[in-house]
Amino acid sequence: MTARSCLSIVLAAGLGTRMKSDLPKVMHEIGGLPLVGHVVKALEKAGSERISVVTGPDMPTLEKLVYSLAPSARCYVQTERLGTAHAALAARPALEFPADDVLVLFGDTPLVTAETVGRVRKALSGGADLVVLGFETRRPFGYGRLLTENGRLVAIREEKDASEEERRITLCNSGIMGFSGPHAQGLLEAIGNDNAKGEYYLTDAVEIANARGLKVVAVTGSEVETQGINTRAQLAACEADFQARKRRAALENGCTMLAPATVFFSHDTELAADVTVEQNVVFGPGVKVAKGARIRAFSHLEGATVGEGSVVGPYARLRPGAVLGSDTRVGNFVEVKNATFGSGAKANHLSYIGDASVGSKSNIGAGTITCNYDGYLKHRTEIGAGSFVGSNSTLVAPVKLGNGSFVAAGSVITDDVQRDSMAFGRARQTVKEGKAKQLRDRLQAAKDSKS
């Protein structure tokens, strides 16, 4: 099967009217990735080297998104919304260059897996001319039923047209289909619109293929992975199923989670073996955590890399561009953005480190701030290896601290500090004896005079 060519057509022209949104439906997100992005990823993993996405008119943002997700993809516009078969034929230019396998999927079924797509392709490689993906459910009401005889799919019967016996069938239509390349365009073009709505439905391809003596079969996926999304409630339910899938995968791959139901993943979160994740942790897109690291409770990570054996949190925030080397410590109420920490570096509490590099084994004291933005441009702070920055220090970028440098607590540093040097950037302390009592007496007298 891997040697077979594959064209996939993703139907994504839905407006999302029932979601009450100006955003095209397939641009809503699950796990930090638009719905259509999940489908494209599954198709690429299943070996589909050609992907066509059918959009609606006036959807430039969707087209831009598709090309960012899959630069080799092609978008086609369905100018009128006249049914699923009509939408598939919007990609007619792609169909005119046939592939061995032609798949038609929906952009709002984000949980479909590459393995299930692979089963559709395997059936095609085994000689089927038309393959319909079905699923078993205990709640078949509203779905089209798949009617089979001796391993052959003979019809798809919609709920309103089904007999009482047919309504008891629990094998239902997901809407996903696979066509053998030589028959794909002919079957799609043969579908008519002789129905109450005057639309062209993909499901009619089953009857047409059987009438032509072609081999028509059904394969099954799970109900969860074939669910479509039309409402915000369904979007939320799909997100819950996605998170459950990611949690199971993390546990199976050797991650320890103290309270799995409170951990939220992105579509591309990567956790190595022996990572421990505590309660109420959120992984945004682009996070990689190396072996043996610990992400402590109530931390939020996005676009970040955490090195082997490092500890993050509790209550830490890693923003895009945060790269922590091995055995680093980023503690409670520390925010790191576009900054690197060398091996063994520490910022244990109450600091902001942005647009910076922190050398190995350096220690950043509580309350340290890198002042990286002047209102117009961002500037970098470079902290050398083995440096010590005292509590409540302010490093005004651009500034460099040499290896082994020492910054006294409460300093404001505006100039570079050379290697092994100590910097003081604060006013000299003055003590005025008895002044505190005088101040209290004056303030009390002022208060008494008003009462």
Side-chain angles (χ1 to χ4, degrees), residues 1 7 44 46 150 165 172 180 203 222 232 275 277 292 336 417 432 442:
M1 188 192 76
L7 164 67
E44 289 178 333
N150 301 319
E165 182 179 357
C172 297
S180 63
T203 50
S222 71
R232 300 276 186 169
V275 167
V277 182
V336 180
V417 179
K432 297 183 178 181
R442 180 168 58 82

Side-chain angles (χ1 to χ4, degrees), residues 29-33 38 111 224 227 235-251 257 260-269 281-285:
E29 295 185 350
I30 293 291
L33 181 69
H38 287 272
L111 299 189
V224 167
Q227 65 184 293
L235 183 70
C238 191
E239 179 74 47
D241 288 331
F242 169 83
Q243 294 298 334
R245 177 190 287 181
K246 295 291 285 187
R247 291 164 189 150
R248 286 194 302 272
L251 293 168
M257 288 190 284
T262 70
V263 177
F264 290 84
F265 291 93
S266 183
H267 66 99
D268 58 354
T269 306
V281 171
V282 175
F283 294 103

Side-chain angles (χ1 to χ4, degrees), residues 377-390:
L377 298 172
K378 299 289 181 69
H379 303 280
R380 290 193 65 80
T381 298
E382 298 180 20
I383 300 172
S387 295
F388 183 94
V389 179

Side-chain angles (χ1 to χ4, degrees), residues 140-147 156-169:
F141 180 79
Y143 293 111
R145 311 304 204 277
L146 300 187
L147 310 185
I156 300 176
R157 191 79 75 233
E158 297 302 326
E159 174 82 27
K160 66 181 184 301
D161 301 320
S163 66
E164 286 301 317
E165 182 179 357
E166 290 170 341
R167 288 177 181 176
R168 287 193 288 270
I169 293 172

Side-chain angles (χ1 to χ4, degrees), residues 129-140:
D129 298 301
L130 176 59
V131 182
V132 175
L133 178 65
F135 61 93
E136 290 283 353
T137 179
R138 291 179 293 179
R139 301 175 298 277

Side-chain angles (χ1 to χ4, degrees), residues 124 133 272 336 343 349:
L124 291 170
L133 178 65
V336 180
S343 176
H349 32 223

Side-chain angles (χ1 to χ4, degrees), residues 384-388 401-407 417-423:
S387 295
F388 183 94
L401 309 184
N403 293 344
S405 58
F406 192 109
V407 174
V417 179
Q418 301 305 310
R419 179 188 183 101
D420 293 324
S421 297
M422 179 180 290

